[in-house]
């Protein structure tokens, strides 16, 4: 621009300046300038003060904030993620692969992935709890200030200011404490967490952690999946809009908004449901306002009848399966305790011996089980388990009478009536693996919570005999299946029940019975106590109780090793222990410990524990088979104690079994097995001194009751799981089991004398350790008499007509000493009448004869026959019959006490083994019968005219004249003098 063009502008500016100068020189202008300057300065000062104050306040606030979080450690990314994701999850129990239910825990929670949650739930949560979730960095400042202002002013409305991230921090890292310190830490950690986790992970964790009140059982629940199942019986992915809104509204006040009361009080009344329903409507409104749902969806959800969707309370796992749940949880704690100890570098075996250490890890294991989200897989076959419970329930009216003793209430101290039914414990296991397939823990969990199959050791009684006595004796090569044992009473002070030196004299089940020399097979089949105790004494120095300890009997003590009475089963064991031990025989002598926990997986499917079977060699396969074969006789022998069980089976199978009862019938057992399954059953009252004989008249003997119940369980196994039982399976004879002949009374190889006496038998032997090779030398020829149905050696004074001098077989004194070793006993009972050897062998009783003559007898006459009853004296070997003073007959003991007589006078005298005679009996006389008078012969008639007198008529050509009979007509002929009447022995000369 040219200078000429700028000149007007300069002039104009000059005029304006002059005008301003004239104005500023006026008075009012000077006053205005001063006033505005003051205000400006004041404004500047206020600005500076405000900035200073703000900086100061911020500094103070920051300092205060810093002081609040000063003790909060700086957490690493891994640490924070691990803590957030370490929320408790309820562990689950499975029977095989069948889900049973959750373990008992303080809170129920199920982990779920975000993709498995209904979109309605996610929208409802975000609309209600955190509408800026997708955009904030962990906190919403204005929400924080709003909350702070409401807190400072104590406003009635408290809207809260926590984001989902902050709530997650509060629940997982901090606490619910109401304080500025906790809030400051929450803000700091929330902002930090947003850098370590993405929004997807934060939302998923939140939905798995947040509490949702109670489920229909009244149990505390947390996590969206547990809430969906516990409130609506649905999966989280299947929730509709109204249901999602209801659940999303609960966390603000879980116990006010939940529809259920505390445990066992079920659904709230309508008035109690109103707060939760109103909260649901609030959530729906917010969803509409934030654009998550349309007006139409909102109206439809508002009209929805949510009350009709609340689920009814199902039975809890521990209500449906109380004994099973309890047992699996207890076993899981034991397993996890060892797992945790091993993680800490501690030998798990130490837990068995160190009580405090076990207690510590048991507590840790219980926490892990209840909150670790484990999947616990058991060996239980649920179908079979349910059937076992049904069998037990169906037998309720046959167990025996329930007792109602008086007791004291522990809480009130009042006298109350107790309920004590006959209890039951049973268990079935798979032989080859040790898997516990099923059990019955008791009659009623509410009456008695003790599991009588796994937790209640009871005296095993005679069921222990094959495992403690006969099995070891065969394993040692001491006997074979048919080797003889003396079932003859004895008394000793060497051993006993207390070791006090008091006499010990065991008796059989039938208190008066002594079976004499019997095969081991018979002694086991009929469970002879005396024979078993004698055999046990012969092997006790080899410590056969070690076999029981190998098979898992946990209650064997040093005292049991010392007492002979251990042979009869005063050893306590659980049903599980007894069943596991018998399965050893089915497993060819290998013990496999029964177990119920198959494996444990964590929430990610990683295997935490897997059971591994570790067989223990106990018996040889040969011994196991021989005992099995002997135990078959328990079902089939005419004296077998499990015959009733066999009669009640509705199918056939190869089964070996043993019964047992404790003193006074405090316990009754039956344990048996086939090649695949072992089943044991016990019954008894809570206290062992309460006898099962109580009520026997109505319910039958205890042994019969347990026999029938066992058959019902076994029938059930075959009905429900025939593919497991495999009833057509047979025990296989292993190599080394042989059948050998022996002399039945000694067990030695047959000698010529033994064969001649008919005493040879045969049975099974373990050829690897013992077969009979030495010839029998126990027999000797012997004369004998019979007295009271028994054979006795004759005395020198015994009348010879009563002595049998041929065919008498006796035994040597060496044999007597050997078979009755070491306690001795009365040899009279070696071969009693009921003995299978009695007809072949003479009793070795040394009869102590008295000096008195035997008691006389009394005669009766019946149809020309005299009869009498046996003499009252016990040493009578027979009777002499006299006609007048002449001895006409000898009657042996055991023959018919009668004699046919003719005319004359008769008496009888008893004869004892020493030859003494009793006084004569009363006299019986028989008169001669009168002979009829002779008739005069008729006079002969005149012969016919064509016959000459005196000439006899010729007989027919084919007929010879009959010889004339001697004697008088009509009188019977007397017998010859050298012939005895029939049925008597020829008389000998009188002394």
């Amino acid at each position: 621009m040219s200078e000429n063009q700028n000149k007007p502008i300069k002039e104009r500016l000059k005029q304006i300046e002059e005008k301003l100068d004239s104005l500023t020189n006026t008075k009012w202008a000077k006053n205005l300038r001063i006033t505005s300057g003051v205000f400006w300065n004041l404004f500047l000062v206020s600005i500076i003060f405000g900035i200073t104050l703000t900086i100061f306040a911020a500094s103070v606030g920051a300092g205060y904030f810093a002081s609040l979080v000063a003790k909060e450690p700086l957490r690493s990314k891994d640490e924070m993620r691990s803590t957030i994701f370490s929320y408790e999850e309820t562990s689950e129990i499975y029977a095989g692969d069948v889900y049973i239910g959750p373990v008992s825990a303080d809170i129920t929670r199920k982990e779920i992935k975000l993709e498995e949650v209904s979109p309605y739930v996610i929208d409802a949560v975000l609309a209600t709890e955190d509408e800026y979730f997708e955009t904030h960095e962990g906190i919403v400042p204005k929400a924080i200030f709003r909350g702070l202002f409401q807190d400072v002013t104590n406003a009635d409305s408290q809207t809260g200011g926590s984001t989902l991230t902050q709530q997650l921090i509060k629940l997982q890292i901090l606490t619910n404490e109401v304080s500025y310190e906790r809030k400051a830490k929450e803000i700091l950690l929330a902002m930090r967490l947003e850098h370590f986790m993405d929004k997807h992970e934060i939302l998923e964790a939140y939905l798995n952690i947040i509490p949702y009140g109670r489920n229909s059982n009244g149990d505390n629940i947390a996590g969206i999946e547990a809430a969906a199942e516990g409130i609506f019986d649905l999966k989280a992915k299947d929730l509709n809009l109204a249901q999602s809104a209801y659940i999303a509204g609960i966390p603000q006040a879980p116990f006010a908004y939940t529809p259920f009361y505390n445990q066992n009080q079920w659904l709230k009344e309508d008035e109690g449901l109103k707060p939760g329903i109103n909260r649901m409507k609030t959530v729906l409104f917010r969803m509409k306002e934030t654009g998550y749902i349309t007006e139409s969806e909102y109206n439809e959800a508002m009209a929805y009848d949510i009350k009709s969707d609340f689920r009814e309370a199902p039975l809890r796992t521990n209500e449906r399966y109380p004994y099973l749940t309890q047992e699996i949880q207890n076993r899981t704690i034991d397993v996890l305790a060892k797992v945790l100890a091993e993680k800490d570098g501690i030998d798990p075996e130490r837990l068995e011996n160190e009580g405090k250490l076990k207690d510590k890890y048991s507590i840790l294991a219980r926490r892990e089980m209840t909150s670790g989200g484990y999947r616990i897989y058991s060996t239980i076959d649920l179908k079979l388990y349910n059937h076992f419970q049904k069998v037990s329930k169906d037998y309720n009216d046959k167990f025996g009478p329930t007792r109602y003793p008086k007791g004291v209430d522990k809480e009130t101290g009042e006298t109350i009536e107790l309920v004590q039914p006959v209890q039951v414990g049973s268990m079935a296991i798979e032989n080859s693996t040790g898997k516990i397939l099923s059990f019955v823990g008791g009659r009623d969990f509410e009456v008695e919570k003790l599991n009588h199959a796994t937790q209640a050791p009871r005296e095993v009684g005679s069921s222990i005999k094959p495992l403690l006595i006969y099995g070891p004796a065969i394993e040692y090569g001491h006997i074979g299946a048919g080797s003889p044992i003396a079932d003859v009473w004895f008394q000793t002070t060497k051993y006993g029940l207390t070791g006090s030196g008091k006499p010990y004299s065991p008796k059989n089940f039938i208190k008066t019975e002594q079976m004499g020399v019997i095969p081991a097979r018979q002694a086991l089949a009929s469970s002879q106590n005396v024979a078993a105790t004698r055999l046990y004494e012969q092997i006790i120095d080899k410590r056969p109780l070690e076999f029981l300890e190998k098979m898992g009997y946990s209650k064997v003590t040093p005292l049991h090793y010392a007492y002979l009475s251990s042979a009869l089963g005063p050893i306590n064991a659980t049903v599980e222990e007894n069943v596991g031990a018998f399965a050893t025989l089915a497993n060819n002598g290998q013990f496999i410990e029964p177990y119920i926990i198959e494996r444990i997986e964590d929430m990610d499917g990683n295997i935490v524990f897997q059971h591994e079977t570790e067989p223990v060699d106990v018996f040889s396969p040969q011994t196991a088979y021989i005992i099995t074969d002997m135990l078959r006789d328990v079902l089939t022998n005419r004296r077998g104690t499990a015959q009733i069980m066999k009669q009640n089976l509705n199918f056939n199978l190869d089964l070996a079994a043993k019964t047992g009862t404790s003193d006074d019938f405090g316990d009754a057992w039956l344990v048996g097995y086939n090649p695949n399954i072992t089943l044991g059953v016990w019954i008894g009252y809570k206290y062992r001194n309460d006898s099962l004989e109580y009520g026997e008249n109505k319910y039958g003997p205890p042994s019969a009751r347990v026999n029938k119940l066992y058959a019902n369980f076994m029938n059930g196994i075959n009905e429900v799981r025939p593919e497991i039982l495999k009833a057509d399976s047979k025990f296989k004879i292993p190599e080394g089991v042989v059948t050998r002949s022996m002399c039945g009374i000694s067990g030695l190889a047959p000698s010529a004398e033994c064969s001649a006496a008919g005493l040879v038998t045969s049975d099974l032997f373990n050829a690897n350790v013992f077969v009979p090779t030495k010839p029998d030398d126990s027999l000797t020829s012997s004369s004998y008499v019979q007295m009271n149905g028994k054979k006795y050696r004759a005395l020198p004074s015994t009348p010879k007509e009563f002595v049998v001098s041929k065919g008498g077989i006796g035994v040597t004194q060496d044999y007597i000493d050997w078979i009755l070793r070491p306690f001795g006993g009365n040899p009279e009972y070696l071969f009693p009448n009921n003995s299978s050897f009695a007809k072949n062998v003479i009793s070795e009783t040394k009869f102590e004869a008295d000096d008195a003559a035997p008691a006389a007898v009394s005669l009766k006459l019946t149809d020309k026959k005299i009869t009498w009853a046996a003499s009252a004296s016990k040493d009578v070997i027979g009777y002499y019959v006299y006609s007048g003073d002449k001895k006409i007959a000898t009657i042996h003991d055991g023959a018919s006490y009668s004699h046919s007589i003719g005319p004359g006078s008769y008496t009888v005298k008893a004869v004892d083994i020493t030859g003494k005679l009793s006084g004569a009996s009363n006299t019986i006389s028989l008169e001669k019968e009168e002979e009829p008078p002779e008739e005069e012969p008729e006079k002969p008639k005149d012969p016919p005219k064509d016959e000459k007198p005196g000439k006899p008529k010729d007989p027919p050509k084919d007929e010879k004249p009959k010889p004339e009979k001697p004697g008088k007509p009509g009188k019977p002929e007397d017998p010859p003098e050298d012939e005895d009447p029939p049925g008597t022995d020829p008389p000998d000369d009188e002394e």
Side-chain angles (χ1 to χ4, degrees), residues 286-325:
R286 289 185 181 176
M287 292 180 73
K288 184 190 72 166
E289 290 298 301
T290 51
Y292 285 107
I293 59 175
T294 65
E295 184 74 28
S296 174
E297 289 175 315
Y298 169 76
N299 292 332
E300 183 180 351
M302 289 290 286
Y304 189 83
D305 182 12
I306 194 69
K307 289 190 289 187
S308 65
D309 285 353
F310 296 138
R311 72 175 298 178
E312 292 184 1
L315 288 175
R316 296 183 180 89
T317 310
N318 59 1
E319 292 173 335
R320 289 181 294 133
Y321 302 109
Y323 288 109
L324 180 58
T325 303

Side-chain angles (χ1 to χ4, degrees), residues 218-229:
D219 300 324
N220 295 331
I221 53 176
I224 190 64
E225 182 75 352
E229 289 186 3

